[in-house]
Amino acid sequence: MSSTAGQVIKCKAAVAWEPGKPLVIEEVEVAPPQKTEVRLKILFTSLCHTDVYFWEAKAQDSVFPRILGHEAAGIVESVGEGVTELAPGDHVLPVFTGECGECAHCKSEESNMCSLLRINTERGVMLNDGKTRFSINGKPIYHFVGTSTFSEYTVVHAGCVAKINPLAPLDKVCVLSCGISTGLGATLNVAKPTKGSSVAVFGLGAVGLAAAEGARLAGASRIIGVDLNPARFEEAKKFGVTEFVNPKDYDKPVQEVIAEMTDGGVDRSVECTGNVNAMISAFECVHDGWGVAVLVGVPHKDAVFKTHPMNFLNERTLKGTFYGNYKPRSDLPSVVEMYMKKELEVEKFITHEVGFKEINKAFELMLKGEGLRCIIRME
């Protein structure tokens, strides 16, 4: 066991004290892990749009002060009571959702939506006792989606930790703990395009490009990228995108444009924007008889999806997906192995890197729409 096991650790963390204000590097106290929990030393974390969304707190209630961050990689420092599948020194990816292994979802081969550990953006405390493991001078600092990786040490439920190959470079595979796996799995696990098929991807951010990468790995012959920002088109070629459509260039719905390009529609589509109109277009652009559309983006809470029922009766399929249908503990290690075997390139998703003290620069880059993923080095 490590010399710090069972003790409070003092370390640096980037604290969000209030919505939209720069994070402040503070010294925090991190309590030892309790039953079913592990304490991790975070080595690399990256910024995902979800962190920015809840930091801005424009569309939902958000808990402050809190430590954001959920896309990361690190090493187990110590484990709490009852944790047998993880040990100090293990290389791991913490994940915003989990796999308890006991609920109906975890026992189902079809679902990855664990009843116990499914993402909860409003809960700022640990499940075990309803308290935080972070504090400053006795004042609680709240958790974020069960991970809070913008801290040198964090405490996470063991079911939200994937043990990975210790040879995998943590500064690269950290991006597999959220967005990249979400887009990749949406295509490979849910859309399941066949070799030689056509795929349309709506939204060419990091998740959309990961969906395109999945289509490339599946052997799709045509991968059509749909985005309102023409600057993204050149970058998308690296991810297998063969053609580009900017809806603003046409005076008719983009689904009609795609149907004309593809002799009736694409075989598969993956929607990664969260815009409900893009969702409708993604569904209506797939071919009748066999077309499958997969929704990945999270819509506004008041959004309503409208389409004519004949689109279903004409044998188009609409599916949704959560985290690319990956079970974190069971499936993420194999995604890391795809990278280790050079089947999956994650380097092309990493466009920037900053030190922990410069974490606010990562937020600035994302707010400007520059780059895909910014790695934050914790040391």
Side-chain angles (χ1 to χ4, degrees):
M1 296 290 282
S2 67
S3 59
T4 48
Q7 301 175 26
V8 171
I9 290 178
K10 288 186 176 182
C11 70
K12 294 281 189 291
V15 179
W17 286 101
E18 51 186 310
K21 296 291 174 68
L23 306 188
V24 181
I25 304 289
E26 306 273 15
E27 184 178 77
V28 299
E29 294 189 338
V30 185
Q34 295 194 10
K35 188 176 181 180
T36 70
E37 298 172 359
V38 293
R39 187 161 58 184
L40 309 179
K41 178 178 176 63
I42 299 296
L43 296 178
F44 299 94
T45 185
S46 57
L47 183 63
C48 170
H49 191 264
T50 304
D51 297 306
V52 176
Y53 183 77
F54 284 92
W55 167 70
E56 291 179 318
K58 288 179 178 175
Q60 74 294 316
D61 295 328
S62 207
V63 188
F64 291 92
R66 81 193 310 180
I67 296 172
L68 296 163
H70 65 283
E71 205 173 81
I75 296 174
V76 175
E77 175 269 338
S78 60
V79 302
E81 180 190 340
V83 177
T84 56
E85 65 278 10
L86 294 163
D90 284 346
H91 287 216
V92 295
L93 302 180
V95 187
F96 64 87
T97 183
E99 184 182 350
C100 73
E102 299 297 325
C103 71
H105 284 278
C106 285
K107 289 180 177 176
S108 163
E109 291 184 7
E110 296 180 46
S111 176
N112 67 333
M113 300 183 70
C114 177
S115 300
L116 179 68
L117 300 171
R118 192 181 308 183
I119 185 171
N120 184 326
T121 58
E122 295 173 7
R123 187 177 62 234
V125 295
M126 298 301 289
L127 281 172
N128 203 37
D129 59 358
K131 295 179 180 177
T132 73
R133 302 289 174 263
F134 299 112
S135 61
I136 297 178
N137 299 324
K139 175 184 170 67
I141 306 295
Y142 294 101
H143 297 249
F144 177 62
V145 296
T147 49
S148 292
T149 61
F150 293 167
S151 175
E152 292 175 323
Y153 287 87
T154 188
V155 177
V156 181
H157 192 287
C160 298
V161 178
K163 180 180 174 180
I164 62 166
N165 185 338
L167 298 178
L170 297 180
D171 60 331
K172 304 293 190 295
V173 298
C174 63
V175 299
L176 295 176
S177 65
C178 177
I180 310 310
S181 294
T182 296
L184 187 73
T187 303
L188 293 178
N189 299 337
V190 188
K192 297 179 180 175
T194 56
K195 192 172 178 64
S197 60
S198 57
V199 180
V201 177
F202 286 72
L204 298 177
V207 175
L209 291 174
E213 181 78 350
R216 183 185 71 79
L217 289 171
S221 60
R222 296 181 72 179
I223 304 173
I224 302 168
V226 183
D227 202 290
L228 298 172
N229 181 357
R232 287 179 161 174
F233 292 165
E234 194 60 36
E235 180 83 13
K237 289 178 183 174
K238 298 178 192 172
F239 301 85
V241 174
T242 56
E243 299 158 75
F244 307 100
V245 174
N246 185 339
K248 290 192 288 191
D249 292 344
Y250 301 89
D251 55 7
K252 57 185 169 186
V254 70
Q255 53 266 49
E256 293 181 19
V257 176
I258 293 171
E260 288 176 11
M261 290 171 62
T262 55
D263 192 23
V266 287
D267 301 309
R268 301 288 186 265
S269 70
V270 186
E271 194 288 323
C272 302
T273 71
N275 178 294
V276 72
N277 292 319
M279 292 179 171
I280 294 165
S281 296
F283 176 53
E284 294 183 353
C285 82
V286 298
H287 206 290
D288 58 4
W290 62 79
V292 178
V294 177
L295 305 185
V296 181
V298 179
H300 187 275
K301 61 180 172 56
D302 298 324
V304 177
F305 186 101
K306 292 181 179 178
T307 191
H308 198 282
M310 283 306 299
N311 287 320
F312 292 99
L313 297 175
N314 286 335
E315 300 188 3
R316 293 179 180 88
T317 300
L318 180 65
K319 291 186 171 187
T321 181
F322 170 70
Y323 194 49
N325 202 231
Y326 285 121
K327 292 180 187 276
R329 291 194 299 167
S330 299
D331 298 334
L332 263 195
S334 63
V335 180
V336 171
E337 290 310 309
M338 287 174 67
Y339 167 73
M340 296 299 282
K341 293 173 188 168
K342 296 186 166 48
E343 295 168 6
L344 172 67
E345 298 173 41
V346 299
E347 285 87 352
K348 56 192 178 186
F349 291 96
I350 299 167
T351 51
H352 296 84
E353 188 174 315
V354 297
F356 191 31
K357 292 176 183 175
E358 303 172 285
I359 190 168
N360 288 300
K361 186 179 177 186
F363 278 75
E364 290 168 19
L365 288 166
M366 185 159 280
L367 289 169
K368 289 177 187 171
E370 293 181 18
L372 296 173
R373 278 294 183 268
C374 180
I375 301 294
I376 300 153
R377 299 184 311 276
M378 301 304 286
E379 295 177 322

